[in-house]
Amino acid sequence: MVGQATINNNDLFLCYGASLVKGAYKTLLQGLQAKEIVKNTSRIEHGDRVVITEDYPIKIASRELSLSFVIEGKTRSEMLSNRKSFLNDLISSTIIKFNANKLGLGFKFVFREVTEIVDYTNNKFCTIQIKFYEPNPQDRINL
């Protein structure tokens, strides 16, 4: 679990007792979509005139994605404290630097919302799903 990922240079597991849920790497890598192509439609021509040249190549659109985390602690109160500090750090960050060490990639996210929290009352862990916005998927860092 240690070294799996970092948020703003804080190890997920060491700082928050958190780890990524299965399928997170797939979510991080998929979902790239091209922006709408610049085109001109005229009734006096067949089809559309599109602008795709070396000077104006296809551009990648921003995207939203959801990642799920498991947050745990040695006691229930430690888990609740870990969850609180995890959410506070996400909410207080302008740009979140998320490094997925296994993928060798660093992402730049903006926090959008907590979409789901499943709190297991008798246990020392919970799952939390966070929605992020990636303004520029081409602006990733190779680790």
Side-chain angles (χ1 to χ4, degrees), residues 94-106:
T94 308
I95 296 290
I96 298 163
K97 295 174 184 165
F98 184 90
N99 293 336
N101 297 326
K102 185 175 179 181
L103 298 176
L105 287 173

Side-chain angles (χ1 to χ4, degrees), residues 99-113:
N99 293 336
N101 297 326
K102 185 175 179 181
L103 298 176
L105 287 173
F107 300 83
K108 296 175 186 171
F109 295 145
V110 176
F111 172 81
R112 296 297 292 221
E113 66 178 302

Side-chain angles (χ1 to χ4, degrees), residues 29-43:
L29 293 175
Q30 70 184 19
L32 293 181
Q33 185 176 1
K35 283 186 173 181
E36 186 68 30
I37 298 170
V38 177
K39 62 182 178 179
N40 184 17
T41 302
S42 172
R43 294 185 313 192

